[in-house]
Amino acid sequence: MVPGSAAGSVRARYLVYFQYRGTDFNGVAAVRGAQRAVGVQNYLEEAAARLNSVVPVKFTISSRTDAGVHALSNTAHLDVQRRSGQPPFSPEVLAEALNTHLKHPAISLTYSHRVLQAFRVPGDFHARYAATSRTYLYRLATGCPRPNQLPVFERNLCWALRADCLDVDAMQEAARHLLGTHDFSAFQSTGSPATTSVRTLRQVSVSPGPASTFVLPQESSRLRFWSLEFESQSFLYRQVRRMTAVLVAVGLGALTPAQVKVILDSQDPLGKYQSRMAPAHGLFLKSVLYGGLGTSVLPPGPCRVHSVEATGEPEHSATVTPATAL
């Protein structure tokens, strides 16, 4: 029996989806000790302490994000062990309780919905290792000769480029070189705990982003937004930000698409261009997907799931809906 547990108490494991604006955080992971920096996990566990679990609640985060990086939907698993005679919380009650006790407004882009949804999962479920897909979104803005020309409500939410336009066709051609299974050493920052730098990039796209609600009519002809999306089961440390920087260099004419393949094949993380890194504040963890639980566990709303072969060509796509809470 776990030390400090009560006889007859029942442990329940949950998978929770949550979102946050990363500007004010030192990343998603908890910062331990008396440091002034704080991670999103610190606030989640502080809220979970109010659940009166027999054993302190710890969040196991599926996808670590750096300081300044945001999440539209990150995930974590946690165990709650109630006292003998008390039934496990329903997923809906757990999500509501966590939201009630979360104190930091930056944990959600929409203040009232910090934890998006919760599910009961098997006791051996692991939020990190069970994930079958992760998708990151990187937002760019063009037409910003000076940083102060970006709407204040978009600051820290995109990378503002001074250029008036991007060669999107060239960026898409360059992105095709990254699709599939490769050794991505050239796009890995030092400090990664990964035992291998081989990853399969299932999807990468470069496209015009939706118009911003915060752009005034007189600015709409100057400011344009662009979206880069990357999907893989897992990524290397800062891989997405380094791939983004190289693709932006292609869009600005500083690199050719063919040079991106040369950089990839070099497996050299210290080259002239691959050492560049896009700012953290333009990056969003968009989704983490799971399967193999009898039914798929997905964030709220329909999600488009893509699988690709090593060539990067889609095998199939299907629309699926959230699993019913167990």
Side-chain angles (χ1 to χ4, degrees):
M1 185 176 295
V2 178
S5 64
S9 62
V10 177
R11 188 193 73 169
R13 179 161 292 190
Y14 300 87
L15 173 67
V16 296
Y17 290 84
F18 59 99
Q19 64 179 192
Y20 50 89
R21 184 193 297 262
T23 306
D24 296 330
F25 294 108
N26 192 53
V28 68
V31 178
R32 308 300 183 186
Q35 303 178 54
R36 295 183 63 183
V38 68
V40 177
Q41 185 179 355
N42 291 103
Y43 285 95
L44 291 169
E45 291 180 351
E46 182 180 321
R50 306 291 293 274
L51 299 175
N52 296 320
S53 174
V54 172
V55 177
V57 176
K58 298 296 181 185
F59 279 67
T60 299
I61 308 292
S62 74
S63 307
R64 296 189 63 163
T65 56
D66 286 343
V69 176
H70 319 288
L72 297 175
S73 182
N74 202 341
T75 61
H77 77 252
L78 63 147
D79 293 330
V80 180
Q81 188 163 338
R82 305 194 74 193
R83 300 188 183 281
S84 178
Q86 295 181 327
F89 291 115
S90 71
E92 295 79 10
V93 168
L94 177 78
E96 182 178 354
L98 291 173
N99 280 329
T100 298
H101 297 298
L102 279 169
K103 300 299 183 183
H104 200 295
I107 288 177
S108 175
L109 302 180
T110 55
Y111 185 86
S112 62
H113 294 88
R114 300 148 183 163
V115 171
L116 300 169
Q117 199 166 9
F119 295 92
R120 279 287 301 275
V121 291
D124 60 354
F125 176 88
H126 197 287
R128 177 183 173 191
Y129 300 124
T132 58
S133 171
R134 293 171 173 86
T135 298
Y136 282 88
L137 164 70
Y138 200 98
R139 297 182 70 236
L140 304 169
T142 54
C144 298
R146 297 187 303 276
N148 63 5
Q149 291 184 311
L150 192 69
V152 294
F153 298 107
E154 283 287 358
R155 293 178 190 176
N156 295 319
L157 296 176
C158 64
W159 181 8
L161 303 172
R162 295 183 178 182
D164 292 328
C165 61
L166 291 169
D167 188 341
V168 175
D169 289 341
M171 294 173 72
Q172 292 172 336
E173 181 183 347
R176 283 193 284 272
H177 292 302
L178 302 175
L179 275 170
T181 302
H182 307 283
D183 185 326
F184 282 96
S185 296
F187 297 98
Q188 176 178 250
S189 289
T190 57
S192 172
T195 56
T196 176
S197 51
V198 175
R199 294 291 186 273
T200 299
L201 190 60
R202 299 171 178 169
Q203 179 181 322
V204 56
S205 64
V206 183
S207 60
S212 172
T213 306
F214 307 115
V215 174
L216 298 173
Q218 60 267 34
E219 298 176 307
S220 59
S221 62
R222 172 176 58 85
L223 283 172
R224 295 193 66 187
F225 292 85
W226 309 87
S227 297
L228 281 68
E229 287 198 18
F230 305 85
E231 183 201 352
S232 178
Q233 182 173 2
S234 63
F235 291 90
L236 300 170
Y237 182 46
R238 294 179 174 171
Q239 178 186 345
V240 173
R241 289 168 61 189
R242 295 180 72 163
M243 290 190 299
T244 296
V246 166
L247 292 179
V248 167
V250 171
L252 297 175
L255 285 174
T256 66
Q259 285 177 291
V260 173
K261 186 177 188 310
V262 172
I263 290 172
L264 176 67
D265 292 343
S266 74
Q267 300 179 17
D268 177 12
L270 301 177
K272 178 180 178 181
Y273 289 102
Q274 54 268 42
S275 59
R276 299 181 181 181
M277 190 161 54
H281 56 252
L283 183 60
F284 295 75
L285 175 58
K286 183 178 179 181
S287 66
V288 183
L289 303 183
Y290 297 90
L293 296 176
T295 54
S296 297
V297 178
L298 298 168
C303 292
R304 181 70 62 179
V305 180
H306 297 272
S307 66
V308 299
E309 299 173 342
T311 59
E313 294 300 321
E315 265 184 314
H316 67 271
S317 66
T319 298
V320 291
T321 53
T324 302
L326 301 178

